[in-house]
C-alpha cells in the first residue's frame, strides 16, 4: 500500500490547506491547537496577541523566555500584536478579517460583538467567511456567559465523578491535570471548520460555528451517560488497574476470550481457563480485580517491560507505563516521524507531530512557535499592503 510518510521526508507533496488564511484570536489550548493543526496542513495562520502576549507564553516550562506549553500549541503560525483596546486596533482587525477565510475566537460570548468583530459584522465584507467560536458552554443557554477552563468542564460534565467511581479513593476524587475537554474541543472545531469549508466550495456560503466543550467531553463517557439513565444494579465492567512490577507498572487488556487465554498462557496459569471465576466473560467481569491481583502476583519478580512483552507475545495486549520523557524516545514514534525537533525562541526541542498522515498530500509540523509579534510587519505588508511608514505609525500609536 502507499506510504503516508511524515511531512519532513516528502517536501514535494502539496499541503491541503495551502492558500487558506486563518485569523486566530484564541488563547490557552482548544483554539490554538485547532489552528495549529490547520498550520500543519499548510494554512497561513495569523495569531493575534495583545501587546504583552498571550498568557500561556509565560507558563512553565520556559526556555529563553518562551513557554514550551505555548510553543507546542502554536507551531507554524505567524504572531502579530494588536491592541484591541484601541479603535484603530479594532479597525485593523477588521481589515485583516476581510482577507481571511477562517476566524477563531474563544472570548466569552458577547465580547466579539461588543468589539464589532462578530460573525454578523465581519461576514458583510466576507460572505464566505467561516467563523468559529469555542467556549465552555456554547454561545446560547443559561450557562453561556459563565467562565470555564478544562477543570471546570471536567466537573460540570460528570466526567470527574464518573472517573471517581472507578478510583480507589473514597473521600474525594483524585486531583487531575487532564485537558481532554480542550483537545476534544479543538478536534471538534477542526471537523466543523473543514465541513463548512467543503460546503462553501459547493454553495459559496460561509458559516458561523459554535463549539461547546461541555457536550464534547460528555461524549467521552457514553457508557456512563447511558448507565445513568438505565442503572445497572451490580456494575461489572473492566477497570484497567496498573499492575506493579519490580521497576514500575504495566497494564494488560484481556478483553476477548482469546486475549484471556493468551494472558493465562503468558502467566503460566493454564488452570485459569477452567477456573469458574475467570473461565467466561461474565465471570471475569465479576472477578476482574482478582484476575489483576493474580497477574500482579505473577509479575512480582519481573520488570514491567519483561512482563508486558511476555503477555503481548502470547497474544494479550499489554504495555509498560512510560513517563513523558520515555515516550519522547519511543523508537516507533521516532521512526514514523511522530516526534520531531523544531528550533524557535526556546532553542531546539521535541514536539509531537500531526497525528495523521496523507498519502497524496503533506501534513506535519513545519516550524517552531513564533516569537511575540515577529510576523506583524510581514502580515501587514503581505495581506494589507502597508508600507514601512504606515507600520511605524501604527507602532508609535500603540496599535501594534
Amino acid at each position: 500500500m502507499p506510504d503516508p510518510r511524515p511531512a519532513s521526508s516528502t517536501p514535494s507533496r502539496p499541503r491541503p490547506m495551502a492558500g487558506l488564511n486563518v485569523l486566530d484570536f484564541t488563547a490557552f489550548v482548544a483554539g490554538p491547537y485547532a489552528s495549529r493543526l490547520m498550520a500543519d496542513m499548510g494554512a497561513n495562520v495569523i495569531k493575534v496577541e495583545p501587546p504583552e502576549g498571550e498568557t500561556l507564553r509565560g507558563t512553565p516550562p520556559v526556555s529563553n523566555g518562551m513557554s514550551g506549553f505555548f510553543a507546542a500549541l502554536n507551531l507554524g503560525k505567524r504572531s502579530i500584536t494588536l491592541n484591541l483596546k484601541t479603535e484603530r486596533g479594532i479597525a485593523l482587525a477588521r481589515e485583516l478579517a476581510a482577507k481571511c477565510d477562517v476566524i477563531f475566537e474563544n472570548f466569552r460570548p458577547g465580547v466579539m460583538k461588543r468589539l464589532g468583530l462578530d460573525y454578523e459584522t465581519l461576514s458583510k465584507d466576507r460572505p464566505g467567511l467561516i467563523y468559529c467560536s469555542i467556549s465552555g458552554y456554547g454561545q446560547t443557554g443559561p450557562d453561556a456567559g459563565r467562565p470555564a477552563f478544562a477543570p471546570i468542564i471536567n466537573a460540570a460534565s460528570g466526567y470527574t465523578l464518573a472517573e471517581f467511581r472507578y478510583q480507589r479513593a473514597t473521600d474525594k476524587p483524585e486531583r487531575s491535570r487532564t485537558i481532554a475537554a480542550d483537545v476534544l474541543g479543538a478536534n471538534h472545531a477542526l471537523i466543523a471548520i473543514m465541513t463548512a469549508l467543503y460546503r462553501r466550495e459547493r454553495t459559496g456560503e460561509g458559516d458561523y460555528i459554535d463549539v461547546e466543550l461541555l457536550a464534547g467531553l460528555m461524549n467521552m463517557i457514553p457508557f456512563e451517560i447511558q448507565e445513568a439513565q438505565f442503572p445497572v444494579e451490580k456494575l461489572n465492567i473492566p477497570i484497567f488497574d496498573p499492575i506493579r512490577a519490580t521497576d514500575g507498572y504495566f497494564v494488560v487488556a484481556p478483553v476477548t476470550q482469546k486475549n484471556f487465554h493468551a494472558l493465562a498462557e503468558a502467566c503460566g496459569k493454564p488452570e485459569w481457563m477452567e477456573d469458574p471465576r475467570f473461565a467466561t466473560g461474565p465471570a471475569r467481569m465479576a472477578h476482574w480485580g482478582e484476575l489483576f491481583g493474580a497477574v500482579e502476583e505473577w509479575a512480582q519478580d519481573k520488570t514491567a517491560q519483561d512482563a508486558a512483552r511476555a503477555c503481548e507475545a502470547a497474544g494479550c495486549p499489554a504495555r509498560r507505563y512510560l513517563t513523558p520523557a520515555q515516550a519522547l524516545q519511543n523508537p516507533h514514534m521516532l521512526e514514523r516521524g511522530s516526534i520531531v525537533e523544531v528550533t524557535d525562541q526556546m532553542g531546539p526541542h521535541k514536539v509531537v507531530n500531526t497525528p495523521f498522515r496523507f498519502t497524496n498530500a503533506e501534513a506535519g509540523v513545519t516550524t517552531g512557535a513564533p516569537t511575540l509579534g515577529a510576523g506583524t510587519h510581514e502580515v501587514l505588508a503581505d495581506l494589507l499592503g502597508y508600507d514601512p511608514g504606515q507600520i511605524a505609525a501604527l507602532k508609535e500609536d500603540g496599535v501594534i
Side-chain angles (χ1 to χ4, degrees), residues 110-124:
V111 170
M112 291 299 264
K113 186 172 182 62
R114 177 170 54 80
L115 295 174
L117 297 172
D118 55 305
Y119 173 72
E120 187 177 351
T121 301
L122 298 181
S123 61
K124 291 175 182 175

Side-chain angles (χ1 to χ4, degrees), residues 321-370:
Y321 283 89
L322 301 180
T323 65
Q326 290 168 330
L328 281 172
Q329 301 301 322
N330 185 337
H332 169 79
M333 299 283 282
L334 294 170
E335 184 175 322
R336 272 181 58 81
S338 299
I339 303 293
V340 293
E341 186 173 279
V342 296
T343 299
D344 49 29
Q345 183 181 325
M346 293 184 69
H349 60 106
K350 292 184 175 67
V351 296
V352 183
N353 209 347
T354 322
F356 47 82
R357 303 281 185 270
F358 297 108
T359 298
N360 297 318
E362 185 175 350
V365 172
T366 53
T367 63

Side-chain angles (χ1 to χ4, degrees), residues 118-171:
D118 55 305
Y119 173 72
E120 187 177 351
T121 301
L122 298 181
S123 61
K124 291 175 182 175
D125 296 324
R126 186 75 163 171
L129 178 67
I130 310 297
Y131 190 116
C132 180
S133 295
I134 304 174
S135 62
Y137 304 104
Q139 300 296 304
T140 60
D143 288 344
R146 298 179 73 173
F149 291 105
I152 308 303
I153 299 302
N154 294 346
S157 63
Y159 178 86
T160 296
L161 290 185
E163 287 290 294
F164 181 41
R165 191 178 183 184
Y166 310 131
Q167 293 166 359
R168 290 189 180 87
T170 57
D171 57 335

Side-chain angles (χ1 to χ4, degrees), residues 375-397:
T376 303
H377 289 218
E378 186 181 43
V379 167
L380 295 180
D382 290 353
L383 253 63
L384 303 181
Y386 278 39
D387 62 38
Q390 291 173 300
I391 294 171
L394 290 169
K395 186 172 183 180
E396 187 176 335
D397 292 341

